[in-house]
Amino acid sequence: MAASPTAITASYLIPPRSAFAISSHRLSSQRRLNLSYLQRRANAQTPRRVVVRAARIESGGVELGARAPDFELPEPLTGNVWRLDDFELYPCLLVMFICNHCPFVIHLKKDIVKLSNFYMKKGLAVVAISSNSVVTHPQDGPEFMAEDAKMFKYPFPYLYDESQEVAKEFGAVCTPEFFLYKKDGRRPFELVYHGQFDDSRPSNNTPVTGRDLSLAIDLVLSCQPIPTNQKPSVGCSIKWHPGTES
């Protein structure tokens, strides 16, 4: 039986450490990338002077019921490459678009880890993706992603979307942004929740609880319908490569 939102919040007090293990997951040598190569690519693209404009934006524009796009992305921490098919055996999948530097992500980072640890033990698959341009934000590059994943003990793979094509396929526009998919048997993953973590923001005094997202996960795991009236996630805009648009 899925835990109630109240119990979930309480569980944050003593977060368990969970390993993201997929027994059937086998990564061949062809599906491993060299981290130093990724960082050289990032450094080579970084100009000397870049004008950066921060923007706050809400998630939206993606219809519930949409299928999860295919992806194939590297994990800087391990060099592994992950695909959507690697999560095929799971009943539900949470895809999060995050980054290292965004204050909205930093505000939730520890609680994202706690929530993920809690629900991964119940059968939820979780993956995080960073799509920010290293041209404008080198601090979001693969080397620093690996450091962030290690520092915060991410129990999920943290993947690097260098081309930004995966973000565009998902319709992601901000960090953090949450896409919760469910899977019925052999049917493809379908989007059931595209909303906020909770009402907490860096600029308000509302405690971080993860209430909205955890309630949606509870409903999915218990095979109950999720209300379609969902509050959008709010965060920093994804930093697109200069001269490109989302």
Side-chain angles (χ1 to χ4, degrees):
M1 179 180 296
S4 66
T6 302
I8 294 159
T9 302
S11 74
Y12 288 174
L13 299 176
I14 308 177
R17 179 73 178 103
S18 171
F20 192 90
I22 300 180
S23 59
S24 62
H25 186 60
R26 296 294 185 269
L27 293 168
S28 66
S29 59
Q30 289 82 8
R31 294 180 59 196
R32 298 183 63 83
L33 293 186
N34 187 289
L35 176 57
S36 62
Y37 167 75
L38 287 174
Q39 193 56 39
R40 288 198 303 271
R41 286 285 299 277
N43 291 339
Q45 294 177 357
T46 305
R48 293 181 179 179
R49 299 181 63 184
V50 175
V51 177
V52 177
R53 294 181 175 84
R56 169 174 169 155
I57 192 171
E58 292 185 352
S59 62
V62 182
E63 292 186 5
L64 297 178
R67 293 185 178 183
D70 289 330
F71 60 83
E72 182 174 345
L73 294 172
E75 180 184 9
L77 179 63
T78 64
N80 294 339
V81 174
W82 292 80
R83 298 169 178 156
L84 180 64
D85 289 346
D86 294 321
F87 306 98
E88 184 73 17
L89 299 179
Y90 288 82
C92 48
L93 169 66
L94 175 63
V95 180
M96 305 179 291
F97 284 84
I98 64 174
C99 67
N100 295 348
H101 88 277
C102 173
F104 290 88
V105 176
I106 294 171
H107 179 66
L108 300 177
K109 197 171 291 185
K110 291 182 179 179
D111 288 275
I112 286 174
V113 171
K114 293 175 185 178
L115 181 143
S116 298
N117 274 319
F118 184 85
Y119 281 109
M120 286 167 63
K121 289 186 174 182
K122 296 178 177 293
L124 176 71
V126 183
V127 61
I129 299 172
S130 177
S131 301
N132 274 2
S133 173
V134 296
V135 176
T136 60
H137 290 74
Q139 66 268 45
D140 289 335
E143 179 180 352
F144 300 106
M145 289 175 59
E147 293 177 0
D148 215 51
K150 185 179 295 186
M151 179 185 303
F152 288 92
K153 299 181 179 179
Y154 285 173
F156 44 77
Y158 184 23
L159 310 183
Y160 178 44
D161 177 23
E162 181 181 15
S163 71
Q164 304 186 322
E165 289 302 318
V166 172
K168 293 176 182 179
E169 286 290 327
F170 274 84
V173 295
C174 66
T175 57
E177 188 163 355
F178 305 95
F179 297 80
L180 179 62
Y181 297 89
K182 74 170 183 178
K183 192 175 189 300
D184 294 325
R186 295 185 177 181
R187 292 175 58 84
F189 282 112
E190 295 182 353
L191 185 65
V192 293
Y193 182 78
H194 182 219
Q196 65 176 8
F197 193 76
D198 58 25
D199 288 324
S200 186
R201 305 285 184 266
S203 57
N204 64 27
N205 294 319
T206 304
V208 178
T209 64
R211 182 183 181 278
D212 294 61
L213 181 56
S214 61
L215 178 59
I217 297 172
D218 277 335
L219 292 173
V220 170
L221 290 174
S222 59
C223 300
Q224 299 182 55
I226 298 178
T228 57
N229 184 21
Q230 303 168 4
K231 295 181 181 179
S233 186
V234 176
C236 305
S237 62
I238 288 180
K239 304 304 183 278
W240 306 106
H241 296 312
T244 67
E245 297 180 355
S246 61

